Amino acid sequence: MTRELSSEPSREPSRERSRGLSVEGIAYGGDYNPEQWPEEVWAEDVRLMREAGVNMVSVNIFSWALLEPREGEYDFSRLDRILALLHENGIAADLATPTAAPPAWFFRAHPEALPVDKDGRGLSYGSRQTFCPSSPAYREAALRIAGALARRYADHPAVVMWHIHNEYGCHNAECHCDESAAAFRRWLRARYGDDLAALNDAWGTTFWSQWYYDWDEIIPPRPTGAVPNPTHQLDWRRFCSDALLSLYEAEREVLLEAAPDTPATTNFMVMYNFDALDYWRWAPKLDVVSNDHYLQSADPESQIDIALSGDLVRSLAGGPWLLMEHSTGAVNWQPVNRAKGPGELRRNALAHVARGADGIAYFQWRAAKAGAEQWHSAMLPHAGTDSQIWRDVVRLGADLRALGEVRGAVGTAQVAIVWDWNARWAMELPSQPSESLRFQDLVRAWYEPLWRAGVAVDFVRPDADLSAYRVVLAPSLYLVDDEGAANLVSFASDGGTLAVGFHSGAVDENCHVRLGGYPGAFREALGVRTDELFPLLPGESVGLSGGGTGTLWSERVRLAGAEPVESYTSGPLTGVPAVTRNSLGGGVTWYVATQPDAATLAGLVDRIRTEAGVEAVRATPRGVEAALRRGPDADYLFLINHTDRDAEVPVSADATELLTGKVTTGGSVAVAAGDVVVVREPRGE
């Protein structure tokens, strides 16, 4: 059954954000670290920024030691001159609190603020983020420097946004010191209403004689002789995310008191290699949601990761967002750091804009000649302006100016994918049926065919309002609470299409197995019941009746109302259903009990969304990415050609190419190999 939807753009409901970024058009720039250079270089910096079209830079991110040379003594003279220079040249400042890198004098005075790893090894200062998130001394010092900045620059004309800290949790997501243990216990007492019996029940501490009789007996999940308690570990991950969030909120309050009208942000890291923070909890606390994203050199199709990340960040923001960091070329922290190929800088940046970014920024403006990131690329590279990177940076600035009217345009998705950090953390704990399951990989496998087909996608929490969608996919939802499960089931029974991946619904919010057969919370809605799991060994596969194969997983599914769509044709489960379809109320549910090969999964996802009436934003040749942003009066179609072949894509007869100003003719537009085209299509009443 096709679900009837309103004609309004479908997306996660936007939160009301009272403070927005005042920079006109698409913000463009990067991290600016003039303190690393002689002052005579600064004039050249701003001259070149203007040449490149830069209109906003982030400053002061790692300047704590220079601003506060001794505790309570400040020297703002350098920062005063930097902000004045930027303002004189029409460049806005995203002013950072420099709290990600406390100075050496702080740790000499407060060695107890240094973090301790899970093996009990104390870490030293000498890099960034070498502090315990629960340290009272660190919090006091961080709020002191944030307050001093806020009072001095609250009304500075250059400052358009506060940049709080930098990449929370990147290097110190966890600290296992005694202070952290005490903070963990306070967090647990709040979570469980000061009821130790409730904690014991939630953690299942009757197992292995783990019962706690006193709160002080509870410690962080440090190394032990056997497998640690899974709920203990899960609550620890929740606590660590909340501990860092409390630091952000404390700094935000200090800034808000001094400058109530200036928006604040902190840079998320929604990308393949970071999972420390529950950004669904963080996002509502930000006035402007921003993100850092870097490519994985070993990924042959990293453009898919860009799109997935952008769609997830847009969903977190409930609308447009800012890309706070990415790279013009190579990074410096992977085993092999490759440069970007011809046109890749431009394609990467505009792909983020296509997914909702209203600002594009890089780490960093000028490539460092010293320090840990000296081999990280920048907008102004070591080679200077006689370089391909610089020419690409200048061209991108012109492109972003031409796209100014796109700012504020929203997404148009009718498909949502369920993403939950709690489910991710829980599934990747030890002693699972298979250690080969990776949340990010499972979600990307389902996202990829939608990306290839040009189907718009939002990401949602299990308990989100799903009324805007025709299809909801839950590729990997191992953990789900009763509210989230009921919400997803109600979506289907009310006429939607719900597709669920294997090992979903298995446990509740406390990691307790849902009894009665798998897939637990979704068993009845899916019309199936599994009594035993048969995960597959690395390299092992099973045949599927449609001609494809399944890897990673299989299970003994018994039909309980559903119809089989695919069955196993080899292995111990030959003849057992592997993919099922079930009618539920006014809607449909699907269950995928293995990991189909890419072609089989693509065909399955295509069938699911087609039956639900979901179409691509535009039909394109293979390898040409299509994404759509919807403004008040026009649609903005982004076409990114990732191939070495020219392509032709249909557009409306009255469309205009924004990057060139050309009016299209013949109802189509040419997209050259490796190129990007952005088309405005006016929308009638």
Side-chain angles (χ1 to χ4, degrees):
M1 176 180 292
T2 299
R3 195 160 187 256
E4 293 299 322
L5 301 177
S6 72
S7 59
E8 291 299 308
S10 53
R11 59 189 186 276
E12 268 286 85
S14 296
R15 286 174 295 277
E16 290 296 326
R17 298 183 188 275
S18 59
R19 304 170 192 88
L21 188 62
S22 59
V23 174
E24 293 185 6
I26 305 294
Y28 183 43
D31 286 14
Y32 182 39
N33 300 292
E35 67 275 4
Q36 298 176 9
W37 299 91
E39 193 159 348
E40 55 266 26
V41 175
W42 301 357
E44 181 188 31
D45 282 333
V46 295
R47 178 181 63 80
L48 292 175
M49 286 178 190
R50 294 176 65 179
E51 181 180 326
V54 168
N55 58 8
M56 184 178 76
V57 293
S58 297
V59 294
N60 200 51
I61 292 175
F62 296 114
S63 298
W64 193 345
L66 299 178
L67 292 181
E68 190 178 10
R70 285 166 296 280
E71 184 172 350
E73 297 181 18
Y74 302 106
D75 180 2
F76 293 111
S77 58
R78 180 186 291 102
L79 185 55
D80 287 346
R81 297 194 300 277
I82 292 167
L83 291 176
L85 181 64
L86 292 172
H87 182 60
E88 290 165 6
N89 285 272
I91 300 166
D94 170 30
L95 181 58
T97 62
T99 52
W105 61 255
F106 169 78
F107 291 113
R108 288 187 66 192
H110 300 284
E112 78 282 2
L114 287 164
V116 174
D117 70 13
K118 64 181 180 180
D119 295 315
R121 181 183 58 164
L123 304 183
S124 177
Y125 59 90
S127 62
R128 64 180 185 176
Q129 292 182 325
T130 51
F131 63 86
C132 166
S134 299
S135 165
Y138 168 77
R139 179 182 288 252
E140 180 182 351
L143 296 184
R144 186 174 63 242
I145 186 70
L149 278 166
R151 289 186 293 273
R152 187 172 187 89
Y153 299 112
D155 298 317
H156 197 289
V159 177
V160 297
M161 184 164 62
W162 298 113
H163 185 311
I164 299 176
H165 199 79
N166 185 73
E167 296 182 335
Y168 275 103
C170 183
H171 303 290
N172 64 339
E174 301 181 33
C175 174
H176 293 254
C177 73
D178 291 340
E179 189 64 57
S180 293
F184 182 40
R185 288 189 287 269
R186 291 192 295 271
W187 183 90
L188 291 170
R189 294 181 82 138
R191 179 175 177 82
Y192 293 103
D194 210 21
D195 185 348
L196 195 53
L199 178 141
N200 278 301
D201 180 65
W203 286 18
T205 56
T206 53
F207 188 82
W208 279 358
S209 190
Q210 295 174 22
W211 191 273
Y212 296 103
Y213 290 94
D214 192 291
W215 290 100
D216 287 341
E217 294 169 358
I218 301 173
I219 59 175
R222 297 165 179 158
T224 185
V227 178
N229 182 307
T231 319
H232 185 180
Q233 295 176 85
L234 179 59
D235 270 350
W236 172 251
R237 296 295 298 269
R238 291 164 170 158
F239 157 74
C240 290
S241 177
D242 282 357
L244 287 165
L245 178 56
S246 75
L247 290 176
Y248 168 82
E249 290 183 290
E251 288 196 36
R252 180 68 188 101
E253 284 304 310
V254 169
L255 299 170
L256 187 64
E257 183 177 350
D261 297 324
T262 304
T265 190
T266 189
N267 37 346
F268 290 173
M269 290 181 291
V270 177
M271 46 194 236
Y272 60 90
N273 63 344
F274 185 79
D275 71 345
L277 306 182
D278 181 353
Y279 286 133
W280 288 122
R281 287 179 60 82
W282 282 66
K285 311 294 185 180
L286 277 62
D287 297 308
V288 178
V289 170
S290 62
N291 189 53
D292 295 353
H293 185 273
Y294 292 98
L295 304 185
Q296 183 180 14
S297 292
D299 185 350
E301 292 188 295
S302 55
Q303 63 267 25
I304 301 175
D305 189 61
I306 290 176
L308 189 158
S309 172
D311 284 341
L312 179 50
V313 179
R314 185 192 64 250
S315 302
L316 289 165
W321 53 281
L322 298 181
L323 181 67
M324 191 61 74
E325 286 185 28
H326 68 314
S327 66
T328 57
V331 298
N332 71 306
W333 41 267
Q334 297 180 19
V336 176
N337 298 295
R338 74 167 185 87
K340 293 188 176 181
E344 191 173 4
L345 180 154
R346 184 169 181 259
R347 290 194 300 275
N348 290 171
L350 296 181
H352 286 292
V353 178
R355 304 287 163 174
D358 275 357
I360 296 294
Y362 291 92
F363 180 83
Q364 58 181 324
W365 162 252
R366 182 183 285 269
K369 65 178 182 180
E373 295 182 294
Q374 67 192 77
W375 291 110
H376 196 292
S377 62
M379 299 177 77
L380 183 59
H382 292 141
T385 57
D386 186 14
S387 63
Q388 187 59 52
I389 281 182
W390 175 251
R391 288 185 284 273
D392 289 344
V393 162
V394 173
R395 182 186 183 189
L396 178 60
D399 286 339
L400 296 177
R401 285 194 298 275
L403 296 179
E405 67 180 81
V406 175
R407 176 175 170 168
V410 298
T412 60
Q414 295 181 351
V415 175
I417 295 179
V418 181
W419 181 290
D420 186 70
W421 273 274
N422 285 267
R424 179 176 186 171
W425 294 336
M427 189 190 70
E428 296 182 6
L429 291 172
S431 292
Q432 283 285 331
S434 172
E435 65 176 16
S436 298
L437 305 186
R438 292 291 177 269
F439 179 90
Q440 177 93 12
D441 295 342
L442 295 173
V443 172
R444 174 163 164 169
W446 287 50
Y447 176 87
E448 185 171 324
L450 295 167
W451 177 86
R452 292 192 188 282
V455 175
V457 174
D458 283 344
F459 287 86
V460 294
R461 298 164 50 124
D463 60 352
D465 178 2
L466 304 176
S467 59
Y469 304 104
R470 295 184 186 274
V471 175
V472 173
L473 307 177
S476 184
L477 195 60
Y478 168 69
L479 176 151
V480 64
D481 62 16
D482 291 345
E483 180 186 1
N487 186 51
L488 293 169
V489 171
S490 293
F491 164 77
S493 63
D494 289 344
T497 295
L498 173 68
V500 177
F502 61 83
H503 208 32
S504 292
V507 300
D508 65 15
E509 68 273 18
N510 293 320
C511 276
H512 293 194
V513 173
R514 294 180 179 274
L515 304 178
Y518 319 117
F522 302 115
R523 186 176 63 242
E524 294 183 4
L526 296 173
V528 298
R529 182 178 182 274
T530 292
D531 70 336
E532 193 165 4
L533 308 174
F534 290 78
L536 302 176
L537 298 171
E540 187 179 9
S541 64
V542 290
L544 299 175
S545 56
T549 58
T551 59
L552 288 178
W553 195 267
S554 63
E555 56 186 69
R556 188 160 54 213
V557 174
R558 188 180 73 199
L559 300 177
E563 61 183 86
V565 175
E566 295 255 12
S567 299
Y568 303 112
T569 60
S570 64
L573 301 180
T574 297
V576 171
V579 179
T580 63
R581 184 183 186 277
N582 185 50
S583 296
L584 181 70
V588 175
T589 62
W590 293 75
Y591 186 50
V592 183
T594 188
Q595 179 69 6
D597 64 87
T600 300
L601 182 57
L604 178 62
V605 170
D606 186 63
R607 176 180 170 182
I608 290 170
R609 60 98 175 170
T610 301
E611 286 185 4
V614 175
E615 299 180 354
V617 299
R618 198 62 44 94
T620 64
R622 183 175 177 83
V624 178
E625 178 179 355
L628 193 70
R629 294 182 64 172
R630 175 153 292 177
D633 305 307
D635 290 338
Y636 300 99
L637 177 65
F638 288 72
L639 300 168
I640 307 173
N641 192 340
H642 298 285
T643 76
D644 57 2
R645 304 175 304 279
D646 296 346
E648 197 81 15
V649 178
V651 296
S652 65
D654 54 352
T656 302
E657 294 183 45
L658 291 184
L659 299 179
T660 63
K662 297 178 181 177
V663 177
T664 62
T665 58
S668 68
V669 66
V671 188
D675 201 6
V676 181
V677 171
V678 183
V679 175
R680 181 211 297 123
E681 295 180 314
R683 197 169 59 251
E685 290 297 326

